[in-house]
Amino acid sequence: MIIPIRCFSCGKPIAHLWEQYKEGVAKGGNRKELLDKLGLERYCCRAVFLGHIDLIETAAQFKKV
Amino acid sequence: MEIQLLSSDKKKNKMSFILKGADPAFANAIRRCAIEEVQTMAIDDVEFRKNSSAFYDEMIAHRLGLVTLTTDLKTYNLPENCKCNGEGCARCSLKMTLKSSGPWQVYASELKSKDPKVKPVFGDTPIVKLLKGQKLELEVTAVLGKGKSHMKWSPGLVYYKYMPEVKIGEVKNAEEIAKACPPGVFEVKEGKLFVNKDELLKHDLAGMAEKVSGGAVTIEENPEEFVFCVESWGQLDCKEIIEQAAQEFESQLEEFGKLIKEK
Ligand SMILES: [Zn+2]
Ligand SMILES: [Zn+2]
């Protein structure tokens, strides 16, 4: 839905890095290099980024129940 | 006891040091005190005035709770130790407000704080995205807390390992061993294997050497020497975390000593 504020496993704050990563990927950047540059060293944090899809804009068009 | 600083990276908020002449019980006490006793500031209460975003109030409150805040330990008290008995006053809590309307991406930096010393560490943390016509208005209360009641108050990651002692015997496949371990840990010079001690302490996965060498390389652990790694989440700096951990440990021991004397 939206990038988690912190990594699920280690608790590192990661949300502020998401937009840089997303931009880099959109420009055709290498994911490994982007994650390294952002300082996401542990595989827990990297997994959060690799597996994430932004869906809030789609979901926001529907009414909350 | 002896401490030797290995590295300190202010930009990455990381620090590591060697602790010599201690035992595992002591090292672990420091680690646990750092993770669950050191106090930091975090949002603990959110009052919603308006929320027509895609997210339920609880989800936004949860996200806000996890936002790290720069912590000023001198001015604030734990609510339970405060003169107000936990009711909330200027000495134990800080109110911040956020008002936003769509279309807009709401960031943590939009939290308006009256105390310039306490604000989100990472202002560009996205909180929620508002579409056209959606509104968000809320007031939050930040308080000091400890990691043992909720991890959002934990100041960072603290871990240690025993000092590895690598012994190299009759090695036949030096190249292969060096390749099996993280780059730089082992060096090969004229067919002989050497350890790069500085690199060795940075990595955790050099154990493959034992397997690949068929027992010629052994890695033993020294239970009296510890390699500590501290990674701060930004509320306090790394040195402060360890200082505070030691202080918390000391005050617990002091309290214990006092109780023993009274009995
Ligand atoms: Zn992580
Ligand atoms: Zn108070």
Side-chain angles (χ1 to χ4, degrees):
Chain A
M1 187 86 138
I2 190 167
I3 188 74
I5 303 278
R6 297 198 186 204
C7 167
F8 291 134
S9 307
C10 70
K12 180 186 168 75
I14 52 171
H16 59 289
L17 304 171
W18 172 250
E19 282 174 5
Q20 288 173 53
Y21 173 80
K22 202 175 162 186
E23 232 168 69
V25 171
K27 278 183 194 156
N30 178 298
R31 283 167 201 260
K32 179 197 176 285
E33 278 161 21
L34 285 165
L35 290 168
D36 287 344
K37 209 177 84 192
L38 293 173
L40 298 168
E41 290 170 354
R42 287 178 286 277
Y43 47 71
C44 51
C45 312
R46 294 168 89 95
V48 176
F49 270 46
L50 290 174
H52 179 71
I53 299 170
D54 269 333
L55 281 176
I56 181 159
E57 270 173 89
T58 318
Q61 291 165 14
F62 300 89
K63 255 195 168 170
K64 268 189 291 191
V65 194
Chain B
M1 213 184 293
E2 203 185 309
I3 280 182
Q4 185 191 330
L5 190 69
L6 269 180
S7 67
S8 172
D9 190 332
K10 280 256 155 71
K11 218 176 137 206
K12 278 187 177 171
N13 263 332
K14 276 183 182 179
M15 179 177 85
S16 82
F17 61 88
I18 300 174
L19 172 64
K20 287 178 187 169
D23 58 12
F26 179 77
N28 199 33
I30 291 295
R31 182 190 71 88
R32 292 193 71 128
C33 279
I35 291 173
E36 48 190 51
E37 297 287 344
V38 174
Q39 299 156 21
T40 65
M41 219 52 177
I43 292 168
D44 196 36
D45 194 65
V46 184
E47 194 184 311
F48 285 87
R49 305 264 158 76
K50 219 175 264 169
N51 174 20
S52 53
S53 77
F55 281 176
Y56 293 106
D57 295 358
E58 292 86 339
M59 281 172 81
I60 295 175
H62 180 237
R63 286 180 72 79
L64 287 169
L66 294 176
V67 169
T68 45
L69 303 175
T70 50
T71 299
D72 172 19
L73 289 170
K74 282 186 193 120
T75 5
Y76 293 93
N77 301 320
L78 273 180
E80 57 259 41
N81 297 342
C82 188
K83 278 179 192 159
C84 67
N85 290 322
E87 278 174 34
C89 64
R91 283 194 170 174
C92 64
S93 63
L94 174 71
K95 288 215 164 30
M96 290 187 266
T97 52
L98 190 153
K99 198 175 173 184
S100 211
S101 54
W104 186 249
Q105 169 78 56
V106 184
Y107 290 103
S109 57
E110 285 168 57
L111 280 167
K112 288 214 176 67
S113 152
K114 272 176 203 145
D115 184 348
K117 279 186 189 158
V118 181
K119 58 176 195 320
V121 178
F122 305 108
D124 41 2
T125 300
I127 303 294
V128 68
K129 187 155 195 171
L130 300 174
L131 294 189
K132 201 179 169 226
Q134 294 181 340
K135 274 184 185 144
L136 185 66
E137 201 182 323
L138 46 85
E139 187 183 67
V140 305
T141 312
V143 294
L144 274 185
K146 290 183 175 182
K148 65 180 175 187
S149 52
H150 193 294
M151 281 312 280
K152 69 182 173 188
W153 280 300
S154 194
L157 198 62
V158 182
Y159 58 95
Y160 63 83
K161 60 186 173 195
Y162 295 123
M163 177 62 91
E165 275 167 9
V166 182
K167 286 193 183 99
I168 301 173
E170 290 267 325
V171 174
K172 283 175 199 126
N173 49 351
E175 291 280 353
E176 202 186 330
I177 297 167
K179 237 184 205 166
C181 296
V185 173
F186 287 104
E187 280 169 49
V188 185
K189 276 180 207 154
E190 292 164 8
K192 276 194 170 173
L193 196 66
F194 295 93
V195 192
N196 183 342
K197 190 119 201 211
D198 292 333
E199 280 297 317
L200 179 69
L201 299 182
K202 280 188 210 157
H203 299 281
D204 303 314
L205 302 167
M208 264 311 268
E210 280 187 314
K211 221 177 186 180
V212 177
S213 67
V217 175
T218 53
I219 301 175
E220 275 166 34
E221 291 168 333
N222 183 348
E224 286 184 350
E225 247 180 89
F226 304 88
V227 185
F228 261 85
C229 300
V230 185
E231 189 176 336
S232 161
W233 296 157
Q235 301 101 322
L236 304 167
D237 66 37
C238 294
K239 200 177 163 193
E240 249 179 318
I241 292 176
I242 300 300
E243 273 174 22
Q244 285 297 320
Q247 227 173 70
E248 288 292 332
F249 190 32
E250 195 184 332
S251 65
Q252 279 183 19
L253 289 174
E254 221 165 82
E255 194 188 347
F256 181 73
K258 241 185 228 164
L259 290 172
I260 288 287
K261 244 182 222 169
E262 283 166 12
K263 293 286 163 199

